[in-house]
Amino acid sequence: MASEKVTRRVKYKTSVKDPGTPGRLLLSMEKLIFRSNSQNSASKLDMEFRFIKNHKYTKEGSNKAPMLNLTSSQGVSYIFEFESYGDLQVCKEFVGKALSKPGDTPKLKDTLEAPSEQPSTQDLLLRMTLLQENSELQKLHKEFVSNGVLTEDEFWASRKKLLDGVSSRKSKQRVGLKSVMLSEQATFDSRTKRVTYSLTPEVVREIFAEKPAIHRAYLKLVPNKMADKDFWTKLCRALYLQREKNINVLAAEAAEDEELALFLKPDEILACETRHKIRCVDPTLNMEADQGDDYTHLPDHGIVRDGGKEVSESQSEPYRRTLFQDLNRHSAVVLEGTTVDEEHLKDTHSVAEALARSRQADKEADANKERFNRPQLMELEDLQPPKDHPLAALCIKDPRDYFDSQQSSAYKTSRDASIGMEPMKCNLSTQEAYGSLRDSIAEIKASGLMDPIVAPEVAVKVFSVLTHNISSSRYHLGKNPRESILDRLPASIKEELLHHWVSIQELLRHYWSSYPITTSYLYSKVTRLKDAMSKIDAQLQELKESLQSDLRHQVTLLIRPMQQALEAAMQHYDADLQKRSAKSGERPNGYV
Amino acid sequence: MASVPSKLYSDDVSLVVVLVDTNPFFWATSSLSFSQFLSHVLAFLNSILLLNQLNQVVVIATGHNSCDYVYDSSSASHHGVENRTIPALYSVLLQKMEEFLIKDEKLGKQESPGMIASSLLSGSLSLALCYIQRLFRTGPLHPQPRILCLQGSSDGPEQYVAIMNSIFSAQRSMVPIDSCYVGAHNSAFLQQASYITGGVYVKPQHLDGLFQYLVTVFATDLHCRSSLQLPRPAGVDFRASCFCHKTTIDMGYVCSVCLSIFCKHHKKCSTCGSVFGQAQADNSAVSDRKRKAPET
Amino acid sequence: MPQVRIIAKNFMDMVASLPAMKLDRLYHNSFICEAILRSLPPLAKKYVLQMIYMEGPFPAKSLEEWVLADGFSKHKVAIDRLIQLRVFMETTERKKETSYRINPTFQSNLQKHLTSGGVLPREPMPSNITVRLPSLEELDAYALEQWECFLLQLINSSQAEKLTNFSSSMIRVFQRGLLSQRDNKDAPRLTESGFQFLLMDTNAQLWYIIREYISNSEERGVDPADLISFLLELSFHIMGEAYNMNTLNEIQRTAIKDLADLGLIKLQQGRKESWFIPTKLATNLSVSLTDSSTRKQGFVVVETNFRMYAYSTSKLHCEILRLFSRIEYQLPNLIVGAITKESLYTAFENGITAEQIIGFLQQNAHPRVAERIPSVPENVTDQIRLWESDLNRVEMTLAHLYDEFPSRDVFDAACDYAREWGGLLWEDSKKMRLVVKAEIHMQMREFLRGQKQ
């Protein structure tokens, strides 16, 4: 491709008024690089195109200098002033092309690239902030990703958790329901004597949620038996009649129209739910469970609240609803929150179906819960002892801590070379051994404890040994009792060691996880990693030799485990290579 | 690098669970005789009880084949054991210990003498933790528990998994494990136990002054430990034992599913049953050999 | 009224303040050594223990090596206490290095204890002589009942169902500082320290009473050291066992009758012999000397609606709660009350402060609510404080009124003078009167006398 790379002389500005730094702008499909002409100038830019959000440019003939303005996803502008509009034109087109396939980096060799998803811009932002917050991570990133040992994706793939942890912080907030009641939403036009109910999907959802019977009726009737519109007209009529407390008319109409009657009957499903709830209430004293519930519409429960005022003919009884009932049901639904996502709020039918689905899911969850909860009676929480005892939080330590103690133990081990595993010789038979123990006990029983238990000289000696131990460790370790061998080294060496160690960890993790090598991509990765490791190995050796003899011993001990680990990796690589080449006789060229 | 989150102890009432090594094979080779050792330990127990009326002492014998509670100051009745020469505490304890030894001997199989004999530390650690858990459940006002291992026999690598599990559960319940190792070499298990749980590991150099060590270091209650510096080991042997042959290893294979440790490559994890290296079943060398997993 | 400082722990101060001779003599009794050891701060206990087999002086520096930076104050307290009690003797060597030496009697007593175990102060009586010994539960109940009965009598003689055998003069000794009586007609009222006393836990109260009892002993012709040693010895008896009265000397026998009234021991009479049975209160005596004596379960739950639920069967608790709340009903194990403005006003009138009430509620919070922060709802604590500050809107200041000034000049000069001294409280320039703080009355008089001339 001819337009693979474009180089132009430009002035780089951070703002329009900035006089600008003269230099060269280098554009490739993946990134843009600006290098200043003067060597000592600090302004240097190296930016990947996927971080660029949009670009603006000055129009020809607009009296302004030819400028290109690139805005990064963080909102920072990079302005380049070109020498001519011709140059601008070329670059503008190039940038446009580069931006049109965001992040689509040119593939060097298609086979070598790992199949990877393109990270979303959100991910990219997250990664950037993570790098900014964690200087160590940044260092690693710089060392490996920038030097091409690892690709960006490989680097982050082993840190998925880090990304997840951050992203999970912002959970999606569910939209709540309005607390306005449906009956309030009717508008009454006194002139035309018309009551208008406006049914939006939200309203529909509310109706369905509050009145499961209507919901069920809708699913049953529409669109098989009646049209969507008819259904709602009928429902609105029923609601209106109910609101007007025109019970006689209601009863009469209900007698004629069975569908209308359906709306007016007390909600069976609700009643069923309420009964279920009552069943769950612990028979022992518990005020909590019935505080929020109103059982008055069930026979034999509660007090009829509206007194005798509203009790009219017994035949209209089924159509009577108390305001309380409605209020309670409404608030219950509001508290439950929305179970239907906003996306489903398109038409009434989809609302009905979505709600049905979520109901089903809820019911299953409830059933599960009940299975576990059943035997547990309600308990007065404030007088129960805590069920769990204080536990130390499980802590996965920072690997650095581990390095620290492990190395110091290596140090220790080498000092008193033999540890542990020398088999103990015991010449006594089992019987004799147990016999002698029992004899000892008998001896004590007969003669009592030694008196004195400890001779004063021994006591003083032991105490002074212990005291010496403490004071010497304090002397060695300085003020911080937690300090260790690592802290005794000069800070720069300590830093270097830790850095090497972290790097080795990172490399080894990638290295071992790419075995077994099944694709040529993995093969190239392993090769890259191996080279990087041998480089670090050399650096370690260098570090060791650069030190003075007194430090060298300690550092050698600290380095040894690292080198061992690297060595093991190298050996594995060589063995693998041999095996591979042996095979390649049968399969020339392998799959590399 | 505190292993255990610091907890504030309002007072010094403590429960000390002492694990006493009664491995006859060890004591037959030890320079310190068992009766001397018992003298020191008994005096130490008594001094713990002397410090506070609410202090509690539980002794668990760690035998070669079994382990058992041999003394519990909270339930010990001092009646009925009439012995003029030694006080009730001691005679009750010694009586129980003798019974324990007889039982322990019967349990033992006829083994060829001269074997490496380790004692059942994992069992007694578990017993101690069970006791402490029961104490935790008695209510908020319980003494502050800690465990003291008086161990002499060498580590039994075959107990590695069980001991590590006990150590972690002690760490979880914030019970420090102190260890006083009277054997010839350092014990890697106890070093790790004390390190992880925030206890103290001491290997006395002068065994005839054992009591002094016990009283100076291990009688320190948790309340005092916040203001005193106790001996720290210079290094801890963190090596693990492999699950297959129970040998201590520097490098090994770790199951990527359950973190079991093996010294050789296996086709299948013996702990969790995961199958390794399916992709290259013909190539056993290519496997996920990893650096030793950190134990903590 | 003598101001009595009520601090639970200072019984040991009393021991420490004994003359050196007497203190050293006390240490010949191994029980006292033991009790003293237990009363020490934790760090001091450890120091004593590790010195138990060391002879000769040892440098102070070797102890300090062990102390962490933030534990130094505790170390200091521990060492001070040890020296105060003459357990450690401080010597300064020629090299100007401080070193300590442990009290040899103390040391050998503890050594003896370690090797030979705790020996009982006296042998319990064989069970064939003693009949129908009370069970431990019965004994606990007895001790508690006796103690509460005593406390009720102490606070409110009319409330107590049965009276203890303490002479009224003895009771008055105990009441000193706890109750105040304005005149003979008035019922005695609880003072501030009295309320504090009630709020302490049983062991602390017990020690307070014992302390009063001991300090009063000299008036009765008894050596305090003897009493102290007997009491400490008593704490090492086994609870629930019977001990023969014949083993006691004359002083002890009189003391033991008083102690029975307090519930420390139960006396029983057999056919020929009589014996005493120590209760929990007695055996806890040496425990309560330490800082760890605060191990007590709370029982009060306060809700945000000012209701108070106290899970207690104790009549005493009820009485204490009644001091500042309105008790509404009492169930077998539950007292329900409400904190009202009226109930609090009565409390304030009795000299109980809001902080004391809040402190009581917080310290005695039921374990379930004690874990919460705050254990007493904030609105309740705030309201208690507000109601208290309502009462303090008027501030009392002793003052003098001056009037009938000869001239306005003199009046103005007097005002200025008073203002200079910061003592002018009020002035009325029309009628030429002013009120001045009582403290500067003398200066004012001098000044006015000077003005006259």
Side-chain angles (χ1 to χ4, degrees), chain A residues 193-207:
Chain A
K193 301 244 161 127
R194 247 168 199 265
V195 179
T196 319
Y197 285 91
S198 51
L199 290 172
T200 63
E202 284 87 14
V203 175
V204 169
R205 173 177 60 182
E206 197 189 320
I207 295 175

Side-chain angles (χ1 to χ4, degrees), chain C residues 164-321:
Chain C
T164 52
N165 299 322
F166 280 113
S167 64
S168 56
S169 65
M170 198 64 209
I171 284 284
R172 224 164 289 141
V173 168
F174 293 141
Q175 283 174 339
R176 188 174 59 197
L178 301 179
L179 297 177
S180 71
Q181 201 163 13
R182 281 195 202 132
D183 50 77
N184 285 332
K185 282 174 281 173
D186 255 4
R189 287 174 169 215
L190 215 54
T191 63
E192 219 174 286
S193 38
F195 190 69
Q196 267 176 32
F197 171 79
L198 283 183
L199 302 190
M200 291 191 293
D201 64 299
T202 315
N203 278 327
Q205 288 170 337
L206 187 60
W207 270 120
Y208 174 78
I209 293 297
I210 296 282
R211 207 169 63 99
E212 292 294 299
Y213 183 69
I214 291 171
S215 53
N216 184 247
S217 63
E218 265 167 302
E219 291 168 33
R220 286 172 284 137
V222 178
D223 185 2
D226 285 345
L227 257 184
I228 290 174
S229 78
F230 176 59
L231 278 165
L232 290 178
E233 198 178 298
L234 192 65
S235 69
F236 287 93
H237 287 70
I238 296 170
M239 174 168 66
E241 290 284 344
Y243 295 94
N244 202 322
M245 288 284 265
N246 294 341
T247 55
L248 302 175
N249 63 30
E250 198 49 50
I251 302 167
Q252 292 169 342
R253 229 171 290 174
T254 38
I256 214 152
K257 291 213 178 70
D258 292 335
L259 298 180
D261 272 336
L262 293 177
L264 264 68
I265 44 181
K266 190 174 169 68
L267 296 174
Q268 274 189 337
Q269 183 78 44
R271 226 171 281 162
K272 276 188 239 152
E273 321 248 2
S274 59
W275 56 83
F276 66 93
I277 309 159
T279 69
K280 196 169 67 179
L281 289 181
T283 50
N284 277 352
L285 273 180
S286 64
V287 182
S288 61
L289 293 173
T290 57
D291 293 342
S292 54
S293 59
T294 45
R295 297 181 154 252
K296 203 180 84 165
Q297 288 234 345
F299 57 98
V300 184
V301 179
V302 182
E303 293 188 338
T304 47
N305 56 5
F306 292 81
R307 294 195 131 247
M308 192 177 61
Y309 299 90
Y311 291 85
S312 168
T313 47
S314 155
K315 212 173 160 194
L316 186 73
H317 283 159
C318 188
E319 282 309 306
I320 293 174
L321 295 176

